[in-house]
Amino acid sequence: MGYSLASQRLVREAITITQRLTRQQSRELTREQLLRSAAELFAEQGVNGTSVEQIVERAGYTRGAFYGNFKGKHELVLALLEQRTQRELEEVRAMSRESGSFDEMIEHLRSWHGERDRNLAGWLALRTELWLYGLRDRPELLPVLADRERRTRAAMAQGLEQGFADRGVTTPAPVELLALIVHALDDGLSIQRVLSPADSSTDTVVDVVELLMTAWTALAHSTAPTDGNPSAIPAGGTTGPSTARPASPGRTRTLENLEKKP
């Protein structure tokens, strides 16, 4: 039995929609592969040292495929920055969603840093190259880089707020400032990890965050109002050293490494 005209039209429309989705998916795959190849090359030889021809050659495409997705290399850099920023933010937000407490988030963060450590040198090289590209060649890129940093710090601030809430204290300083401290330490410790891997471990950044949270929590307890009653116990526990959790094995190793340094 043949199809009716209406049925044939529906089949043609279904085929057209399927083809359109396939083309869109194919374009997204091409774009993703071009971005991945560009990221590898930027980390290896810098943004200015990488040509469009090298990017398409590594990705296995033609110049036409490149210019079908980007107007030029600068637009690709912008797309790469946005992609990396969104990806990292999604990973951090996923950790927050999957964590019932700050301590659980710390363990998720420890695993995340372990994964990042496998290609830390490449990650740091790419990030540095993108900074240098903005500083040297494209000053108009600096606000984009600054916005990326702000969004990252905002995600960190949310995690810190959760940590203080779990401990029943208010932040001893503006949480934005504390997030800036953590972010700066993450950057600095990542550099030290690449340059002197024997002096740190994959847990070092997270161990430092735990150490800071312990110190900041103690500070929050010591400055908490007691309604004129010196013997009152602030919300979340007692004051002083007793508020600190036992040191994790990773944190103990980090402190031991620091003690060995001259």
Side-chain angles (χ1 to χ4, degrees):
M1 180 183 298
Y3 290 116
S4 67
L5 290 177
S7 298
Q8 292 177 32
R9 187 182 72 253
L10 290 173
V11 169
R12 286 196 301 271
E13 290 176 354
I15 292 173
T16 300
I17 292 172
T18 301
Q19 290 175 338
R20 185 180 301 119
L21 289 174
T22 301
R23 286 196 297 270
Q24 178 64 25
Q25 291 168 348
S26 176
R27 179 171 181 175
E28 290 174 358
L29 178 60
T30 300
R31 184 182 177 87
E32 174 64 27
Q33 290 175 333
L34 288 168
L35 287 169
R36 185 184 301 116
S37 297
E40 293 172 358
L41 287 164
F42 291 165
E44 294 169 10
Q45 54 197 41
V47 176
N48 288 333
T50 299
S51 66
V52 170
E53 287 75 13
Q54 290 172 321
I55 294 171
V56 298
E57 180 180 356
R58 178 166 296 196
Y61 292 105
T62 63
R63 287 173 60 89
F66 180 92
Y67 288 107
N69 285 274
F70 307 104
K71 293 179 180 178
K73 190 169 67 173
H74 181 64
E75 185 174 287
L76 181 145
V77 170
L78 293 175
L80 183 62
L81 273 170
E82 183 61 24
Q83 180 199 63
R84 294 300 169 111
T85 301
Q86 286 300 324
R87 187 171 296 171
E88 289 180 12
L89 289 176
E90 287 169 6
E91 290 171 352
V92 172
R93 288 165 182 161
M95 284 189 281
S96 297
R97 289 194 301 269
E98 295 167 5
S99 303
S101 66
F102 182 76
D103 291 338
E104 286 184 12
M105 185 172 180
I106 283 290
E107 293 311 310
H108 285 303
L109 192 60
R110 198 178 296 281
S111 298
W112 185 83
H113 274 278
E115 289 292 325
R116 191 182 72 172
D117 195 69
R118 296 178 182 180
N119 187 36
L120 183 59
W123 174 86
L124 187 61
L126 174 61
R127 193 174 180 203
T128 303
E129 279 298 329
L130 293 174
W131 288 342
L132 291 175
Y133 177 65
L135 288 169
R136 291 173 176 168
D137 306 297
R138 293 290 188 125
E140 69 271 20
L141 186 62
L142 294 179
V144 178
L145 290 165
D147 180 65
R148 167 187 164 84
E149 298 297 303
R150 278 192 293 269
R151 284 191 278 172
T152 300
R153 294 198 305 269
M156 290 181 176
Q158 290 179 351
L160 291 174
E161 285 180 332
Q162 179 181 349
F164 287 115
D166 288 350
R167 287 159 173 73
V169 296
T170 57
T171 59
V175 71
E176 295 81 9
L177 174 61
L178 303 184
L180 177 62
I181 293 170
V182 171
H183 193 34
L185 282 170
D186 188 3
D187 283 343
L189 290 170
S190 295
I191 293 172
Q192 297 304 314
R193 173 70 177 154
V194 171
L195 296 178
S196 305
D199 296 332
S200 61
S201 73
T202 58
D203 291 331
T204 299
V205 172
V206 183
D207 292 337
V208 169
V209 173
E210 285 193 295
L211 186 62
L212 286 172
M213 281 299 296
T214 297
W216 288 336
T217 300
L219 178 61
H221 282 312
S222 68
T223 58
T226 58
D227 297 328
N229 181 3
S231 63
I233 299 176
T238 59
T239 61
S242 61
T243 61
R245 296 189 296 107
S248 68
R251 184 161 65 246
T252 300
R253 288 195 300 272
T254 299
L255 294 176
E256 288 174 351
N257 288 336
L258 291 173
E259 290 170 357
K260 291 177 183 177
K261 292 184 178 181

